Amino acid sequence: MLRITSPEYGRGRAWKDSGMPAHASLAVPYASYLRVYEPLDAFPEPERGHWAQYAEQALRGETPTAQDELRRSLADLLPTPPVPVPVHESGDAFVAELDGTVVVCPWRTRLRGWLALEELPGLLPSPVLDAALPPVVREQTAADHERWREVNPDARPWIRSAVWQVPVRWFVLFADEEREYVPGDGTGSGGGGGKAPVLRYRTPMVEARRRVARALKTLREAMEEGPLTEGLVDVGRWLEEFHPRSLVEVDYGGLVHALSAEQLAGDRSAADVAEGIAALRSGDGEAAGVAYGRLAERWRAVRDLQSAN
């Protein structure tokens, strides 16, 4: 379920890494994002040339933002019948720098639209889903995806998203010292004007993979296989598909509009996850439970907002 509200994510001035939030008047879903930025060397020609030229424009603040992507997606749902997946793939990307090297994260909006559509039946009741996206539209879109996949069997998205939460398994990839928090000019809950807050973590791919491997080893030694272990395996396999000199980012995205400034400033979820895993590694189940309890309570409060809306 997505609630649409007033502040906009990424409108106005395009920030250096082409997609940081700024306040404006359009609506945002409360979604978070896990992104991989790859160096230009990871892309074959002629795609590499496209991204090299694009990156130059992005670092000058001349390319679309995250909110621009969202606006396009929402606009496609307004016609009758709706267009749940773009007809053409996006040529846009997020751009950042890692140790002086330009790295890019392609939007791949069309591919992500197909993947998101596959998950909808498990998220929405059938009457709601049929009203929003009639079965004939979904069937045609699924057939388009199947034909496309036959030609592009190895395609994968550079971006994963989650609504009303940042999945616990994502925090495993990061350390507390990699946390970046920039308070906004207004309120975190979507009230005031000015620049929206930013809360994200960034780490080199090599660190993300190492942390996944260590966490999996600890979890498998300390407990039975479960959702967290399965989720980490899935994330680890996904990370292996990218260049080893990539940058990995988790971005609170639109969630900054659902949380107060105090909640954002006090959110140390990656630290709680690291503390819990370290406690399990040392055999201290009680300390692990305390760390997990803090994390669970923080995100339960966020998910409760979804029900309130």
Side-chain angles (χ1 to χ4, degrees), residues 32-37 160 165-167 169-174 178-180 198-203 247-253 270:
S32 61
Y33 304 93
L34 180 63
R35 304 185 181 113
V36 173
Y37 296 71
R160 291 187 168 194
Q165 64 169 322
V166 178
R169 58 187 177 274
W170 292 4
F171 288 117
V172 173
L173 280 56
F174 305 94
E178 293 163 342
R179 178 180 182 270
E180 301 176 25
V198 178
L199 182 53
R200 71 184 181 194
Y201 294 81
R202 284 178 165 180
T203 194
L247 172 71
V248 185
E249 171 188 79
V250 67
D251 182 356
Y252 276 50

Side-chain angles (χ1 to χ4, degrees), residues 160 169 216 228-239:
R160 291 187 168 194
R169 58 187 177 274
L216 279 173
L228 179 56
T229 303
E230 294 170 0
L232 266 181
V233 169
D234 176 63
V235 169
R237 287 174 177 166
W238 180 64
L239 293 179

Side-chain angles (χ1 to χ4, degrees), residues 61-200:
E62 299 173 356
T63 55
T65 65
Q67 185 59 28
D68 292 320
E69 179 194 27
L70 175 61
R71 266 200 311 277
R72 294 172 188 172
S73 299
L74 294 178
D76 283 343
L77 296 178
L78 296 179
T80 303
V83 183
V85 174
V87 176
H88 302 290
E89 187 55 273
S90 170
D92 292 304
F94 297 105
V95 178
E97 292 184 278
L98 175 62
D99 298 329
T101 299
V102 173
V103 289
V104 299
C105 174
W107 287 3
R108 290 296 191 270
T109 308
R110 195 176 193 219
L111 173 57
R112 287 164 53 213
W114 276 321
L115 297 177
L117 199 61
E118 292 177 351
E119 298 176 0
L120 280 181
L123 299 175
L124 297 175
S126 295
V128 176
L129 179 58
D130 290 345
L133 292 172
V136 65
V137 173
R138 301 202 307 273
E139 291 168 5
Q140 180 59 56
T141 303
D144 292 342
H145 184 203
E146 185 62 30
R147 286 192 295 270
W148 181 89
R149 192 162 49 186
E150 291 176 359
V151 181
N152 303 275
D154 299 324
R156 76 284 196 261
W158 279 257
I159 304 172
R160 291 187 168 194
S161 60
V163 181
W164 288 102
Q165 64 169 322
V166 178
V168 172
R169 58 187 177 274
W170 292 4
F171 288 117
V172 173
L173 280 56
F174 305 94
D176 184 62
E177 58 267 24
E178 293 163 342
R179 178 180 182 270
E180 301 176 25
Y181 172 55
V182 181
D185 295 338
T187 66
S189 59
K195 184 181 66 176
V198 178
L199 182 53
R200 71 184 181 194

